[in-house]
Amino acid sequence: MDSRFAELSAVELRSMILDETRKFILALQFGSALSDLEEIREQIKSLNDALAIKEKEELKINL
């Protein structure tokens, strides 16, 4: 997991994913540069990866 996301909870990560998704949609609507869209896409992918790991960790703790 990306170290900058390690201290965040699954709820916080989900919230960040939603924010980044909204940002991506707005960037599409306003014709942002491809490089900007790619950067946002990579951020969303990183957040999703971190969320998947965090959810697995939280599931193990709750078992």
Side-chain angles (χ1 to χ4, degrees):
M1 177 185 328
D2 194 326
S3 63
R4 59 193 160 149
F5 304 133
E7 297 300 319
L8 298 174
S9 70
V11 171
E12 291 170 317
L13 288 167
R14 279 188 212 98
S15 178
M16 290 177 71
I17 291 169
L18 289 173
D19 290 343
E20 288 296 314
T21 302
R22 287 185 195 105
K23 187 169 138 182
F24 187 81
I25 292 167
L26 287 172
L28 282 173
Q29 287 177 336
F30 291 105
S32 295
L34 182 58
S35 61
D36 293 338
L37 293 170
E38 289 172 341
E39 183 179 321
I40 299 167
R41 181 194 67 199
E42 290 304 313
Q43 180 73 355
I44 292 170
K45 285 172 61 176
S46 294
L47 287 164
N48 274 315
D49 292 344
L51 177 59
I53 292 167
K54 183 63 70 171
E55 286 177 334
K56 286 179 187 176
E57 290 173 355
E58 290 180 1
L59 183 61
K60 286 179 186 176
I61 290 171
N62 291 329
L63 289 179

Short mmCIF file of all heavy atoms in Angstrom, two decimals:
data_model
loop_
_atom_site.label_atom_id
_atom_site.label_comp_id
_atom_site.label_asym_id
_atom_site.label_seq_id
_atom_site.Cartn_x
_atom_site.Cartn_y
_atom_site.Cartn_z
N MET A 1 0.85 -1.18 0.00
CA MET A 1 0.00 0.00 0.00
C MET A 1 0.90 1.24 0.00
O MET A 1 1.93 1.27 0.64
CB MET A 1 -0.92 -0.01 1.23
CG MET A 1 -1.78 1.22 1.33
SD MET A 1 -2.82 1.41 2.81
CE MET A 1 -3.26 -0.20 3.26
N ASP A 2 0.46 2.23 -0.70
CA ASP A 2 1.16 3.50 -0.74
C ASP A 2 1.22 4.07 0.68
O ASP A 2 0.21 4.15 1.37
CB ASP A 2 0.42 4.46 -1.66
CG ASP A 2 1.20 5.68 -2.04
OD1 ASP A 2 1.98 6.16 -1.20
OD2 ASP A 2 1.04 6.16 -3.17
N SER A 3 2.41 4.42 1.13
CA SER A 3 2.60 4.85 2.52
C SER A 3 1.77 6.08 2.89
O SER A 3 1.39 6.25 4.04
CB SER A 3 4.08 5.12 2.78
OG SER A 3 4.54 6.17 1.97
N ARG A 4 1.47 6.92 1.92
CA ARG A 4 0.68 8.13 2.25
C ARG A 4 -0.77 7.80 2.57
O ARG A 4 -1.49 8.62 3.13
CB ARG A 4 0.78 9.15 1.13
CG ARG A 4 0.29 8.67 -0.19
CD ARG A 4 0.69 9.58 -1.33
NE ARG A 4 0.58 8.78 -2.54
CZ ARG A 4 0.27 9.25 -3.70
NH1 ARG A 4 0.08 10.53 -3.87
NH2 ARG A 4 0.17 8.46 -4.75
N PHE A 5 -1.22 6.58 2.24
CA PHE A 5 -2.59 6.18 2.53
C PHE A 5 -2.69 5.22 3.71
O PHE A 5 -3.78 4.87 4.15
CB PHE A 5 -3.24 5.52 1.31
CG PHE A 5 -3.21 6.36 0.07
CD1 PHE A 5 -2.81 5.82 -1.14
CD2 PHE A 5 -3.59 7.68 0.09
CE1 PHE A 5 -2.79 6.58 -2.29
CE2 PHE A 5 -3.57 8.47 -1.05
CZ PHE A 5 -3.17 7.91 -2.25
N ALA A 6 -1.58 4.78 4.24
CA ALA A 6 -1.55 3.73 5.27
C ALA A 6 -2.31 4.12 6.53
O ALA A 6 -2.92 3.26 7.16
CB ALA A 6 -0.11 3.37 5.60
N GLU A 7 -2.28 5.36 6.91
CA GLU A 7 -2.90 5.79 8.16
C GLU A 7 -4.38 6.13 8.01
O GLU A 7 -5.05 6.41 9.00
CB GLU A 7 -2.17 7.01 8.73
CG GLU A 7 -0.72 6.74 9.09
CD GLU A 7 -0.58 5.65 10.15
OE1 GLU A 7 -1.37 5.65 11.11
OE2 GLU A 7 0.30 4.80 9.99
N LEU A 8 -4.90 6.07 6.79
CA LEU A 8 -6.29 6.42 6.57
C LEU A 8 -7.20 5.21 6.76
O LEU A 8 -6.80 4.08 6.50
CB LEU A 8 -6.47 6.97 5.14
CG LEU A 8 -5.70 8.24 4.81
CD1 LEU A 8 -5.86 8.58 3.35
CD2 LEU A 8 -6.14 9.39 5.68
N SER A 9 -8.41 5.47 7.18
CA SER A 9 -9.39 4.38 7.33
C SER A 9 -10.03 4.09 5.97
O SER A 9 -9.90 4.88 5.02
CB SER A 9 -10.48 4.79 8.32
OG SER A 9 -11.28 5.82 7.76
N ALA A 10 -10.75 2.98 5.90
CA ALA A 10 -11.46 2.63 4.67
C ALA A 10 -12.49 3.70 4.31
O ALA A 10 -12.65 4.05 3.14
CB ALA A 10 -12.12 1.26 4.82
N VAL A 11 -13.14 4.24 5.31
CA VAL A 11 -14.14 5.30 5.07
C VAL A 11 -13.48 6.54 4.47
O VAL A 11 -14.00 7.13 3.52
CB VAL A 11 -14.88 5.67 6.38
CG1 VAL A 11 -15.75 6.89 6.21
CG2 VAL A 11 -15.70 4.48 6.87
N GLU A 12 -12.34 6.91 4.99
CA GLU A 12 -11.61 8.07 4.46
C GLU A 12 -11.15 7.81 3.04
O GLU A 12 -11.22 8.71 2.18
CB GLU A 12 -10.42 8.40 5.36
CG GLU A 12 -10.82 8.94 6.71
CD GLU A 12 -9.66 9.03 7.69
OE1 GLU A 12 -8.85 8.07 7.76
OE2 GLU A 12 -9.58 10.06 8.39
N LEU A 13 -10.68 6.61 2.77
CA LEU A 13 -10.24 6.27 1.42
C LEU A 13 -11.42 6.31 0.44
O LEU A 13 -11.28 6.84 -0.67
CB LEU A 13 -9.58 4.89 1.40
CG LEU A 13 -8.20 4.83 2.04
CD1 LEU A 13 -7.77 3.39 2.27
CD2 LEU A 13 -7.17 5.57 1.20
N ARG A 14 -12.57 5.77 0.85
CA ARG A 14 -13.76 5.82 -0.02
C ARG A 14 -14.14 7.26 -0.33
O ARG A 14 -14.50 7.59 -1.46
CB ARG A 14 -14.94 5.10 0.64
CG ARG A 14 -14.91 3.62 0.49
CD ARG A 14 -16.20 2.98 0.99
NE ARG A 14 -15.88 1.68 1.53
CZ ARG A 14 -15.70 1.39 2.80
NH1 ARG A 14 -15.84 2.29 3.72
NH2 ARG A 14 -15.38 0.17 3.17
N SER A 15 -14.09 8.10 0.67
CA SER A 15 -14.41 9.51 0.49
C SER A 15 -13.45 10.17 -0.51
O SER A 15 -13.88 10.94 -1.39
CB SER A 15 -14.37 10.24 1.82
OG SER A 15 -14.63 11.60 1.65
N MET A 16 -12.19 9.85 -0.39
CA MET A 16 -11.19 10.40 -1.32
C MET A 16 -11.42 9.90 -2.74
O MET A 16 -11.27 10.66 -3.70
CB MET A 16 -9.78 10.06 -0.85
CG MET A 16 -9.36 10.79 0.41
SD MET A 16 -7.72 10.31 0.98
CE MET A 16 -6.70 11.04 -0.28
N ILE A 17 -11.80 8.63 -2.87
CA ILE A 17 -12.10 8.08 -4.19
C ILE A 17 -13.28 8.83 -4.82
O ILE A 17 -13.23 9.19 -6.00
CB ILE A 17 -12.38 6.57 -4.11
CG1 ILE A 17 -11.10 5.82 -3.77
CG2 ILE A 17 -12.98 6.05 -5.42
CD1 ILE A 17 -11.30 4.36 -3.40
N LEU A 18 -14.31 9.07 -4.03
CA LEU A 18 -15.46 9.82 -4.54
C LEU A 18 -15.06 11.23 -4.96
O LEU A 18 -15.48 11.71 -6.02
CB LEU A 18 -16.57 9.87 -3.49
CG LEU A 18 -17.30 8.56 -3.23
CD1 LEU A 18 -18.24 8.71 -2.05
CD2 LEU A 18 -18.04 8.10 -4.46
N ASP A 19 -14.25 11.89 -4.16
CA ASP A 19 -13.79 13.25 -4.51
C ASP A 19 -12.98 13.24 -5.80
O ASP A 19 -13.17 14.10 -6.67
CB ASP A 19 -12.94 13.83 -3.38
CG ASP A 19 -13.74 14.17 -2.15
OD1 ASP A 19 -14.98 14.27 -2.24
OD2 ASP A 19 -13.12 14.34 -1.07
N GLU A 20 -12.08 12.27 -5.93
CA GLU A 20 -11.25 12.19 -7.14
C GLU A 20 -12.09 11.84 -8.36
O GLU A 20 -11.83 12.32 -9.46
CB GLU A 20 -10.12 11.17 -6.96
CG GLU A 20 -9.03 11.63 -6.01
CD GLU A 20 -8.28 12.86 -6.51
OE1 GLU A 20 -7.89 12.90 -7.69
OE2 GLU A 20 -8.09 13.78 -5.69
N THR A 21 -13.11 11.01 -8.17
CA THR A 21 -14.00 10.66 -9.28
C THR A 21 -14.77 11.88 -9.75
O THR A 21 -14.90 12.12 -10.96
CB THR A 21 -14.96 9.52 -8.86
OG1 THR A 21 -14.18 8.39 -8.45
CG2 THR A 21 -15.87 9.11 -10.01
N ARG A 22 -15.27 12.66 -8.80
CA ARG A 22 -15.96 13.91 -9.16
C ARG A 22 -15.01 14.85 -9.91
O ARG A 22 -15.39 15.48 -10.90
CB ARG A 22 -16.50 14.59 -7.92
CG ARG A 22 -17.69 13.92 -7.32
CD ARG A 22 -18.26 14.72 -6.14
NE ARG A 22 -19.16 13.90 -5.37
CZ ARG A 22 -18.89 13.35 -4.19
NH1 ARG A 22 -17.72 13.56 -3.61
NH2 ARG A 22 -19.78 12.61 -3.58
N LYS A 23 -13.80 14.93 -9.42
CA LYS A 23 -12.78 15.78 -10.06
C LYS A 23 -12.52 15.31 -11.50
O LYS A 23 -12.42 16.13 -12.42
CB LYS A 23 -11.50 15.70 -9.22
CG LYS A 23 -10.39 16.61 -9.64
CD LYS A 23 -9.35 16.58 -8.52
CE LYS A 23 -7.96 16.53 -9.02
NZ LYS A 23 -6.97 16.46 -7.95
N PHE A 24 -12.47 14.00 -11.70
CA PHE A 24 -12.24 13.43 -13.02
C PHE A 24 -13.40 13.77 -13.96
O PHE A 24 -13.18 14.18 -15.10
CB PHE A 24 -12.07 11.91 -12.91
CG PHE A 24 -11.68 11.24 -14.18
CD1 PHE A 24 -10.36 11.22 -14.59
CD2 PHE A 24 -12.62 10.60 -14.98
CE1 PHE A 24 -9.98 10.60 -15.76
CE2 PHE A 24 -12.26 9.98 -16.16
CZ PHE A 24 -10.93 9.98 -16.55
N ILE A 25 -14.62 13.65 -13.45
CA ILE A 25 -15.80 13.97 -14.27
C ILE A 25 -15.79 15.43 -14.67
O ILE A 25 -16.05 15.77 -15.83
CB ILE A 25 -17.09 13.59 -13.51
CG1 ILE A 25 -17.19 12.07 -13.38
CG2 ILE A 25 -18.32 14.18 -14.19
CD1 ILE A 25 -18.24 11.59 -12.40
N LEU A 26 -15.49 16.30 -13.73
CA LEU A 26 -15.42 17.73 -14.05
C LEU A 26 -14.30 18.02 -15.06
O LEU A 26 -14.48 18.83 -15.98
CB LEU A 26 -15.19 18.56 -12.78
CG LEU A 26 -16.40 18.68 -11.86
CD1 LEU A 26 -16.00 19.36 -10.55
CD2 LEU A 26 -17.51 19.45 -12.54
N ALA A 27 -13.18 17.35 -14.91
CA ALA A 27 -12.08 17.54 -15.84
C ALA A 27 -12.49 17.11 -17.25
O ALA A 27 -12.14 17.77 -18.24
CB ALA A 27 -10.85 16.75 -15.38
N LEU A 28 -13.26 16.03 -17.35
CA LEU A 28 -13.77 15.60 -18.66
C LEU A 28 -14.72 16.64 -19.23
O LEU A 28 -14.65 16.98 -20.42
CB LEU A 28 -14.51 14.27 -18.53
CG LEU A 28 -13.66 13.01 -18.43
CD1 LEU A 28 -14.56 11.81 -18.13
CD2 LEU A 28 -12.87 12.77 -19.70
N GLN A 29 -15.62 17.14 -18.39
CA GLN A 29 -16.61 18.11 -18.85
C GLN A 29 -15.97 19.40 -19.36
O GLN A 29 -16.47 20.02 -20.30
CB GLN A 29 -17.60 18.45 -17.73
CG GLN A 29 -18.57 17.33 -17.44
CD GLN A 29 -19.49 17.67 -16.27
OE1 GLN A 29 -19.18 18.49 -15.43
NE2 GLN A 29 -20.64 17.01 -16.24
N PHE A 30 -14.89 19.80 -18.73
CA PHE A 30 -14.26 21.06 -19.10
C PHE A 30 -13.08 20.90 -20.03
O PHE A 30 -12.32 21.84 -20.27
CB PHE A 30 -13.86 21.84 -17.83
CG PHE A 30 -15.05 22.33 -17.07
CD1 PHE A 30 -15.45 21.71 -15.90
CD2 PHE A 30 -15.80 23.40 -17.54
CE1 PHE A 30 -16.56 22.15 -15.19
CE2 PHE A 30 -16.91 23.85 -16.85
CZ PHE A 30 -17.31 23.22 -15.68
N GLY A 31 -12.91 19.69 -20.57
CA GLY A 31 -11.89 19.48 -21.59
C GLY A 31 -10.47 19.63 -21.09
O GLY A 31 -9.62 20.19 -21.78
N SER A 32 -10.20 19.12 -19.92
CA SER A 32 -8.84 19.18 -19.37
C SER A 32 -7.86 18.40 -20.24
O SER A 32 -8.26 17.51 -21.00
CB SER A 32 -8.81 18.63 -17.94
OG SER A 32 -9.57 19.45 -17.10
N ALA A 33 -6.61 18.72 -20.08
CA ALA A 33 -5.57 18.06 -20.85
C ALA A 33 -5.51 16.57 -20.50
O ALA A 33 -5.82 16.16 -19.37
CB ALA A 33 -4.22 18.71 -20.57
N LEU A 34 -5.10 15.77 -21.46
CA LEU A 34 -4.98 14.33 -21.26
C LEU A 34 -4.07 14.01 -20.09
O LEU A 34 -4.35 13.11 -19.30
CB LEU A 34 -4.47 13.67 -22.55
CG LEU A 34 -4.34 12.16 -22.51
CD1 LEU A 34 -5.67 11.49 -22.19
CD2 LEU A 34 -3.77 11.65 -23.82
N SER A 35 -2.99 14.76 -19.95
CA SER A 35 -2.06 14.50 -18.84
C SER A 35 -2.74 14.71 -17.48
O SER A 35 -2.47 13.97 -16.54
CB SER A 35 -0.82 15.39 -18.96
OG SER A 35 -1.18 16.75 -18.90
N ASP A 36 -3.62 15.69 -17.39
CA ASP A 36 -4.37 15.92 -16.15
C ASP A 36 -5.31 14.75 -15.86
O ASP A 36 -5.42 14.29 -14.72
CB ASP A 36 -5.17 17.22 -16.22
CG ASP A 36 -4.29 18.45 -16.26
OD1 ASP A 36 -3.13 18.38 -15.83
OD2 ASP A 36 -4.79 19.49 -16.74
N LEU A 37 -5.99 14.28 -16.90
CA LEU A 37 -6.91 13.15 -16.74
C LEU A 37 -6.15 11.89 -16.33
O LEU A 37 -6.61 11.14 -15.47
CB LEU A 37 -7.68 12.90 -18.03
CG LEU A 37 -8.67 13.99 -18.44
CD1 LEU A 37 -9.17 13.75 -19.86
CD2 LEU A 37 -9.82 14.07 -17.46
N GLU A 38 -5.00 11.67 -16.93
CA GLU A 38 -4.19 10.50 -16.58
C GLU A 38 -3.71 10.57 -15.14
O GLU A 38 -3.68 9.56 -14.43
CB GLU A 38 -3.00 10.38 -17.53
CG GLU A 38 -3.40 9.97 -18.93
CD GLU A 38 -2.25 10.02 -19.92
OE1 GLU A 38 -1.24 10.71 -19.65
OE2 GLU A 38 -2.37 9.37 -20.97
N GLU A 39 -3.35 11.76 -14.69
CA GLU A 39 -2.90 11.94 -13.31
C GLU A 39 -4.03 11.62 -12.31
O GLU A 39 -3.81 10.91 -11.33
CB GLU A 39 -2.42 13.38 -13.11
CG GLU A 39 -1.85 13.66 -11.75
CD GLU A 39 -1.37 15.10 -11.62
OE1 GLU A 39 -0.80 15.63 -12.59
OE2 GLU A 39 -1.59 15.68 -10.55
N ILE A 40 -5.22 12.11 -12.61
CA ILE A 40 -6.37 11.84 -11.74
C ILE A 40 -6.69 10.35 -11.77
O ILE A 40 -6.96 9.74 -10.73
CB ILE A 40 -7.59 12.68 -12.16
CG1 ILE A 40 -7.30 14.18 -12.04
CG2 ILE A 40 -8.81 12.32 -11.30
CD1 ILE A 40 -8.33 15.07 -12.72
N ARG A 41 -6.64 9.76 -12.96
CA ARG A 41 -6.92 8.32 -13.09
C ARG A 41 -5.96 7.51 -12.25
O ARG A 41 -6.36 6.58 -11.54
CB ARG A 41 -6.82 7.90 -14.55
CG ARG A 41 -7.14 6.41 -14.77
CD ARG A 41 -6.72 5.94 -16.12
NE ARG A 41 -5.26 5.98 -16.19
CZ ARG A 41 -4.57 5.98 -17.32
NH1 ARG A 41 -5.18 5.95 -18.48
NH2 ARG A 41 -3.26 6.01 -17.30
N GLU A 42 -4.68 7.84 -12.29
CA GLU A 42 -3.68 7.12 -11.51
C GLU A 42 -3.92 7.28 -10.01
O GLU A 42 -3.73 6.35 -9.23
CB GLU A 42 -2.27 7.57 -11.89
CG GLU A 42 -1.85 7.11 -13.27
CD GLU A 42 -1.96 5.60 -13.46
OE1 GLU A 42 -1.50 4.84 -12.58
OE2 GLU A 42 -2.50 5.18 -14.50
N GLN A 43 -4.35 8.47 -9.61
CA GLN A 43 -4.67 8.71 -8.20
C GLN A 43 -5.85 7.83 -7.77
O GLN A 43 -5.82 7.23 -6.69
CB GLN A 43 -4.99 10.19 -7.97
CG GLN A 43 -5.34 10.54 -6.55
CD GLN A 43 -4.15 10.54 -5.61
OE1 GLN A 43 -3.04 10.20 -5.98
NE2 GLN A 43 -4.39 10.93 -4.38
N ILE A 44 -6.87 7.75 -8.61
CA ILE A 44 -8.02 6.91 -8.30
C ILE A 44 -7.61 5.45 -8.20
O ILE A 44 -8.03 4.73 -7.29
CB ILE A 44 -9.14 7.10 -9.36
CG1 ILE A 44 -9.73 8.51 -9.25
CG2 ILE A 44 -10.24 6.06 -9.18
CD1 ILE A 44 -10.65 8.89 -10.39
N LYS A 45 -6.76 5.00 -9.12
CA LYS A 45 -6.28 3.61 -9.07
C LYS A 45 -5.50 3.34 -7.79
O LYS A 45 -5.69 2.31 -7.15
CB LYS A 45 -5.42 3.32 -10.29
CG LYS A 45 -6.21 3.15 -11.58
CD LYS A 45 -5.35 3.05 -12.81
CE LYS A 45 -4.41 1.89 -12.80
NZ LYS A 45 -3.64 1.77 -14.07
N SER A 46 -4.64 4.25 -7.40
CA SER A 46 -3.86 4.09 -6.16
C SER A 46 -4.76 4.04 -4.94
O SER A 46 -4.56 3.22 -4.04
CB SER A 46 -2.86 5.24 -6.01
OG SER A 46 -1.90 5.21 -7.01
N LEU A 47 -5.75 4.91 -4.92
CA LEU A 47 -6.70 4.92 -3.81
C LEU A 47 -7.50 3.63 -3.75
O LEU A 47 -7.72 3.08 -2.67
CB LEU A 47 -7.64 6.12 -3.92
CG LEU A 47 -7.02 7.48 -3.60
CD1 LEU A 47 -7.91 8.61 -4.11
CD2 LEU A 47 -6.77 7.62 -2.11
N ASN A 48 -7.93 3.13 -4.90
CA ASN A 48 -8.67 1.87 -4.94
C ASN A 48 -7.81 0.71 -4.45
O ASN A 48 -8.29 -0.16 -3.72
CB ASN A 48 -9.19 1.58 -6.35
CG ASN A 48 -10.52 2.23 -6.62
OD1 ASN A 48 -11.41 2.17 -5.80
ND2 ASN A 48 -10.65 2.85 -7.78
N ASP A 49 -6.57 0.68 -4.86
CA ASP A 49 -5.65 -0.37 -4.40
C ASP A 49 -5.48 -0.30 -2.88
O ASP A 49 -5.53 -1.32 -2.19
CB ASP A 49 -4.29 -0.25 -5.08
CG ASP A 49 -4.33 -0.56 -6.56
OD1 ASP A 49 -5.34 -1.16 -7.03
OD2 ASP A 49 -3.37 -0.20 -7.27
N ALA A 50 -5.29 0.91 -2.37
CA ALA A 50 -5.12 1.10 -0.93
C ALA A 50 -6.39 0.69 -0.19
O ALA A 50 -6.33 0.06 0.87
CB ALA A 50 -4.76 2.55 -0.62
N LEU A 51 -7.54 1.02 -0.75
CA LEU A 51 -8.81 0.65 -0.12
C LEU A 51 -8.97 -0.86 -0.06
O LEU A 51 -9.40 -1.40 0.97
CB LEU A 51 -9.99 1.28 -0.87
CG LEU A 51 -11.38 0.93 -0.35
CD1 LEU A 51 -11.56 1.34 1.10
CD2 LEU A 51 -12.44 1.58 -1.23
N ALA A 52 -8.63 -1.55 -1.12
CA ALA A 52 -8.75 -3.01 -1.13
C ALA A 52 -7.88 -3.63 -0.03
O ALA A 52 -8.33 -4.52 0.70
CB ALA A 52 -8.35 -3.55 -2.49
N ILE A 53 -6.68 -3.13 0.12
CA ILE A 53 -5.77 -3.64 1.16
C ILE A 53 -6.32 -3.31 2.54
O ILE A 53 -6.34 -4.16 3.44
CB ILE A 53 -4.35 -3.06 0.96
CG1 ILE A 53 -3.74 -3.61 -0.31
CG2 ILE A 53 -3.48 -3.34 2.17
CD1 ILE A 53 -2.48 -2.88 -0.77
N LYS A 54 -6.77 -2.09 2.71
CA LYS A 54 -7.30 -1.65 4.01
C LYS A 54 -8.52 -2.47 4.40
O LYS A 54 -8.67 -2.88 5.56
CB LYS A 54 -7.66 -0.16 3.95
CG LYS A 54 -8.16 0.44 5.24
CD LYS A 54 -7.16 0.41 6.36
CE LYS A 54 -6.04 1.37 6.12
NZ LYS A 54 -5.16 1.52 7.29
N GLU A 55 -9.40 -2.74 3.46
CA GLU A 55 -10.59 -3.53 3.77
C GLU A 55 -10.21 -4.95 4.17
O GLU A 55 -10.82 -5.51 5.09
CB GLU A 55 -11.56 -3.54 2.58
CG GLU A 55 -12.28 -2.22 2.42
CD GLU A 55 -13.19 -2.16 1.21
OE1 GLU A 55 -12.95 -2.90 0.23
OE2 GLU A 55 -14.14 -1.36 1.23
N LYS A 56 -9.22 -5.54 3.52
CA LYS A 56 -8.75 -6.87 3.90
C LYS A 56 -8.17 -6.85 5.30
O LYS A 56 -8.43 -7.76 6.10
CB LYS A 56 -7.72 -7.38 2.90
CG LYS A 56 -8.31 -7.81 1.58
CD LYS A 56 -7.23 -8.27 0.63
CE LYS A 56 -7.81 -8.53 -0.74
NZ LYS A 56 -6.79 -8.88 -1.73
N GLU A 57 -7.39 -5.82 5.61
CA GLU A 57 -6.80 -5.70 6.95
C GLU A 57 -7.89 -5.56 8.01
O GLU A 57 -7.83 -6.19 9.06
CB GLU A 57 -5.87 -4.49 7.01
CG GLU A 57 -4.59 -4.64 6.23
CD GLU A 57 -3.77 -3.35 6.19
OE1 GLU A 57 -4.25 -2.30 6.68
OE2 GLU A 57 -2.67 -3.40 5.63
N GLU A 58 -8.87 -4.72 7.74
CA GLU A 58 -9.95 -4.48 8.71
C GLU A 58 -10.79 -5.74 8.88
O GLU A 58 -11.26 -6.03 9.97
CB GLU A 58 -10.78 -3.29 8.29
CG GLU A 58 -10.05 -1.97 8.44
CD GLU A 58 -10.86 -0.75 8.03
OE1 GLU A 58 -12.03 -0.89 7.64
OE2 GLU A 58 -10.30 0.36 8.09
N LEU A 59 -10.98 -6.51 7.82
CA LEU A 59 -11.74 -7.74 7.91
C LEU A 59 -11.02 -8.75 8.79
O LEU A 59 -11.63 -9.42 9.62
CB LEU A 59 -11.97 -8.32 6.51
CG LEU A 59 -12.81 -9.59 6.43
CD1 LEU A 59 -14.20 -9.34 6.98
CD2 LEU A 59 -12.87 -10.10 5.00
N LYS A 60 -9.70 -8.84 8.66
CA LYS A 60 -8.91 -9.77 9.48
C LYS A 60 -9.00 -9.38 10.95
O LYS A 60 -9.07 -10.23 11.82
CB LYS A 60 -7.45 -9.76 9.04
CG LYS A 60 -7.21 -10.48 7.74
CD LYS A 60 -5.77 -10.41 7.34
CE LYS A 60 -5.56 -11.00 5.96
NZ LYS A 60 -4.18 -10.85 5.50
N ILE A 61 -8.98 -8.09 11.24
CA ILE A 61 -9.04 -7.61 12.62
C ILE A 61 -10.38 -7.96 13.25
O ILE A 61 -10.48 -8.31 14.41
CB ILE A 61 -8.79 -6.08 12.69
CG1 ILE A 61 -7.33 -5.78 12.35
CG2 ILE A 61 -9.15 -5.52 14.06
CD1 ILE A 61 -7.04 -4.31 12.16
N ASN A 62 -11.44 -7.87 12.45
CA ASN A 62 -12.80 -8.10 12.96
C ASN A 62 -13.16 -9.58 13.05
O ASN A 62 -14.21 -9.92 13.57
CB ASN A 62 -13.82 -7.37 12.10
CG ASN A 62 -13.72 -5.87 12.25
OD1 ASN A 62 -13.36 -5.38 13.31
ND2 ASN A 62 -14.02 -5.13 11.21
N LEU A 63 -12.32 -10.46 12.56
CA LEU A 63 -12.64 -11.89 12.63
C LEU A 63 -12.22 -12.49 13.91
O LEU A 63 -11.77 -12.44 14.80
CB LEU A 63 -11.97 -12.65 11.48
CG LEU A 63 -12.57 -12.38 10.11
CD1 LEU A 63 -11.80 -13.16 9.05
CD2 LEU A 63 -14.02 -12.80 10.06
#
